[in-house]
Structures are given as structure tokens and as C-alpha cells.
Amino acid sequence: MKRMSFETALIHAGQAADKQTGSVNVPVYQTSTYKQDGIGRDRGWEYSRSGNPTRAALESCIAALEGVPHGLAFASGLAAETAVLGGLLKKGDHVVAGDDLYGGTFRLFEKIFRKWGLEISYADSRDPAAFKKAMRRNTRLVWAETPTNPLLNITDIAAVAEIAHKGKALLAVDNTFATPYFQRPAELGADIALHSSTKYLGGHSDVIGGLLAIKDKAVFEAVKFYQNAAGGVPGPWDAWLTLRGIKTLAVRMKAHEANAFEIAALLARHPAVSKVFYPGLEGHPGHALAGEQMDGFGGMVSFELRGGRPAADKFFRRLKVFTLAESLGGVESLACYPAAMTHAAIPERDRLKRGITAGLVRLSAGIENSEDQLADLERALK
Ligand SMILES: Cc1ncc(COP(=O)(O)O)c(C=O)c1O
């Protein structure tokens, strides 16, 4: 059969009509355990930490969307990240990570895994040569987030994959901002694509979740072993909600992106704004690369206010359509202050070095009417 197109896979991959009833939606298998027909004679399901049919549908779906054989679902993006690190690495192994990362990922590296003997170093997310320079004899994993949170930097996935593989390391790419609608890292050489499905995949700010899409069977088995051994799995309702969100990913991402373009254009000409970070803008240093490796530029826009913290306080106070909140990727527009929210776990000195300044604001363009969004920003920036 011809491979399903992306939009069709969103709705059907892993989600054939239920065998028993014909239900067109995957049932919520709200069960912790399964009847066995005799000792060692289960029907393919034993215990819901090890596997659950609703979760399995989501796992098949993300694998199909990312174009790889294997998928895994977790209780959060960070649980997925933990399983990659815990399942694949051991004491004394080294990780090279891009330096512009979600603050929680940085915290996981620095406050949890370093303590267990993992070595971690950071490379300029925009510069493959910096990744190459950071590689060591014991580097087993290269980690890139692209576009990055919160500065929307673009990492060259194909170049970094080649560097990782030359050093006998795997490449994991955090694809949360782009989603497989705009970017499929495995096609560019990555071994693992990971998601906080809390964001665009779930899409409605109503569920926390994490997903992995994995190319190689042995890598998949090692991470799956960790998943079962350590827990961290989503419940069937959360898996179901995520599947429901994914069905509309294509229409939502188009709308998020169209609105983000308008927002970036408004910010770029506004006198209260000193810098705009959006890869869709021609002046963005990663614009050409994003055009090559992505099918679109996404719905996230960051910018710097000239007036620093006082201007930011005033801006957030005046917003009405945008909501000041953590997270992103939902249908509603959100605004965040990275220095005190998503990236507070990074020491101030490192934050400033990376460009996370006191005037930096991150916007997640929702899918409300664009003119309402623009009027809200104009009012708040006055
Ligand atoms: C890029 C990125 N990766 C990972 C995570 C962690 O995901 P979760 O909050 O679902 O644990 C986040 C959360 O904000 C994120 O923005």
C-alpha cells in the first residue's frame, strides 16, 4: 500500500477501528492489569506500566509521523528525556548538548545526571564546528533542540548527525517546537526525535506528556527497558487526549504559523522592541537553514523589550488575549518571561551568556483571530 500522507497519518496511524466494536476512536483502556488464560498465557498485555493498548496506539502514531519504526510514550517530556539518558548511558559517558535548551532539560543534565557520573558539555547550537570540537572519546550522545527554546536558534541536524555518527554517538533531537509537521529529524540523520507532547502535539494545554520516535531496534529496546523498569508512563486518558490533539495537528500548525508571521512582522517594526527572534524572518541567522531542513517556521516568536524588566512587567500586565503562563503550543496564545519562568533553573550568568536577558519575552502564537492578537500586543507595548 502507498505510504499514508502526513495529514492522513495524523488521523489514522495506529488508530484502526476497534476490532471488537468497530469504534472509530481508540478506546480508553482504563485498566492496570489484564486477565491471563493460564500461567504464561497472556493475550499480549500483562500490566499497564509495561503496555496499554491506548498508549500503544499513540506510540505507533508518533513513530509513523516521524517516519521511524518505533515509538514510546511517557508521562511528560522530561520523563521521555530521562529514559533516553538513563536507558542508553552509563557513568563516565559524555553528552554534547546544544547550549540553548529548555531550562528543565538543562536542570535534568546538571542536577540529576551529572550527580550520577554523566559528563556533559555544551556547544553553540548554531555551529556544527562547535559540536565537533566538543566531541570526546567517550561521547555517546549528542543532544540538539531545534528550533531552540527560547531563542529560536536553528541547529543543522544533518551536519550534527554526521559528527555524532563519526564519533560513534547517537543524535537525539528535541522536535517539540517544530513538530513532525514542520520537521522530521530522522529523515535528516537523527536517531531519536523527542517531544514534550504537552505542547503542539496535545495542542490544547490540557495534558502533560512526552513522546520518543526511535530508528534503531536495539536503541528502542534499551529505552523501552528503562521505561518499564523506571515507570514514567502516561495513563490511558492522557494518551487518548494526546491522540485526539494530534488529529488536528496539520490545521493547527498552519494557523499557528500564519499568526506567528504577523506577530513577528509587528514586533520587527515596533519601536519598543530591540530584537525579534523568529526563523521565518529573513534577517534571522538561521533563516536559510530552517528553510532547507524544515517545511515551515512554526508558531513561536521571542523578542527583546528595550526597557528590560520594568517594560516586561508593564507588558504582561496589559495583555488580554495572550495569557502570562508557562508552556506553549496550545490553541490559546501564551506569553512567558523565560528569565524567571521556563529558564529560571539556569544560573543568571549562563542565562545572560546565552542571550536570555531581562527584556526577553517568549510568545506562543495561538490560533485566535490574528487581528485580535496584534491589537493585544500593540496595546501592551504602548
Ligand atoms: C523544548 C522542550 N523540551 C522538553 C520540555 C519538557 O517537557 P514537559 O514539560 O512535558 O516535561 C519542554 C517543556 O517546556 C520544552 O519546551
Side-chain angles (χ1 to χ4, degrees):
M1 196 177 91
K2 183 174 164 286
R3 206 169 149 231
M4 263 190 252
S5 68
F6 190 84
E7 287 81 357
T8 307
L10 288 172
I11 293 160
H12 296 289
Q15 302 170 75
D18 178 48
K19 277 208 184 80
Q20 200 173 346
T21 63
S23 165
V24 296
N25 282 303
V26 174
V28 180
Y29 285 90
Q30 188 69 50
T31 188
S32 61
T33 192
Y34 306 81
K35 175 179 169 20
Q36 304 196 9
D37 298 321
I39 297 174
R41 288 173 49 220
D42 61 65
R43 302 178 196 179
W45 307 97
E46 293 171 355
Y47 185 60
S48 280
R49 173 163 33 74
S50 317
N52 174 284
T54 315
R55 187 173 104 217
L58 174 59
E59 293 176 333
S60 300
C61 185
I62 191 61
L65 299 181
E66 291 283 9
V68 297
H70 310 287
L72 285 171
F74 295 84
S76 69
L78 281 170
E81 295 183 16
T82 302
V84 169
L85 298 168
L88 298 176
L89 304 176
K90 60 179 189 323
K91 184 175 172 193
D93 285 346
H94 175 241
V95 179
V96 176
D99 63 354
D100 188 22
L101 285 172
Y102 167 57
T105 303
F106 178 83
R107 181 176 57 197
L108 184 66
F109 286 150
E110 293 299 321
K111 301 287 184 197
I112 306 292
F113 279 97
R114 201 179 278 285
K115 214 168 57 186
W116 287 90
L118 215 59
E119 296 172 18
I120 304 130
S121 43
Y122 299 92
D124 185 332
S125 300
R126 299 161 295 188
D127 183 9
F131 281 87
K132 191 169 174 186
K133 198 160 156 229
M135 295 290 288
R136 298 180 192 163
R137 205 178 20 84
N138 56 339
T139 306
R140 290 290 155 266
L141 183 69
V142 176
W143 188 286
E145 196 178 287
T146 182
T148 61
N149 181 2
L151 293 171
L152 286 310
N153 285 318
I154 306 295
T155 303
D156 186 333
I157 297 175
V160 172
E162 200 182 320
I163 292 163
H165 294 157
K166 244 189 208 146
K168 305 226 172 334
L170 297 170
L171 172 64
V173 172
D174 187 332
N175 201 25
T176 299
F177 271 33
T179 83
Y181 182 69
F182 284 135
Q183 175 172 274
R184 288 159 307 282
E187 287 175 1
L188 299 161
D191 303 282
I192 301 170
L194 74 93
H195 291 275
S196 167
S197 52
T198 313
K199 312 296 180 336
Y200 288 109
L201 292 174
H204 297 75
S205 304
D206 53 10
V207 61
I208 300 280
L211 294 171
L212 298 177
I214 302 176
K215 249 185 202 167
D216 178 74
K217 188 158 185 262
V219 172
F220 163 71
E221 280 170 357
V223 181
K224 169 127 183 96
F225 179 85
Y226 186 95
Q227 181 196 46
N228 184 49
V233 294
W237 268 110
D238 286 0
W240 187 90
L241 273 172
T242 306
L243 273 173
R244 181 158 96 162
I246 284 175
K247 286 178 202 280
T248 56
L249 184 73
V251 287
R252 284 188 288 106
M253 291 314 291
K254 273 185 223 156
H256 284 298
E257 185 187 44
N259 287 352
F261 261 107
E262 297 294 330
I263 290 167
L266 178 147
L267 295 170
R269 60 177 182 262
H270 202 286
V273 173
S274 57
K275 256 193 214 158
V276 182
F277 306 88
Y278 182 61
L281 291 178
E282 272 178 28
H284 184 285
H287 176 70
L289 176 59
E292 280 166 31
Q293 72 179 17
M294 299 173 73
D295 297 328
F297 301 102
M300 298 299 297
V301 183
S302 294
F303 67 98
E304 210 166 275
L305 282 164
R306 287 191 196 283
R309 175 66 187 257
D313 281 324
K314 203 167 80 181
F315 172 78
F316 289 118
R317 231 181 8 254
R318 289 180 171 177
L319 289 172
K320 290 202 169 76
V321 175
F322 282 78
T323 302
L324 173 61
E326 302 266 358
S327 205
L328 60 106
V331 290
E332 66 289 299
S333 290
L334 299 178
C336 149
Y337 185 68
M341 295 166 74
T342 47
H343 292 71
I346 303 176
E348 188 180 7
R349 210 170 46 123
D350 292 342
R351 267 202 321 261
L352 289 172
K353 219 163 55 190
R354 288 162 200 211
I356 304 172
T357 61
L360 188 75
V361 173
R362 191 192 74 187
L363 300 177
S364 170
I367 62 171
E368 302 97 338
N369 178 283
S370 169
E371 285 177 13
D372 292 341
Q373 294 175 345
L374 299 179
D376 198 41
L377 294 174
E378 288 271 23
R379 187 175 44 242
L381 287 168
K382 238 183 210 150

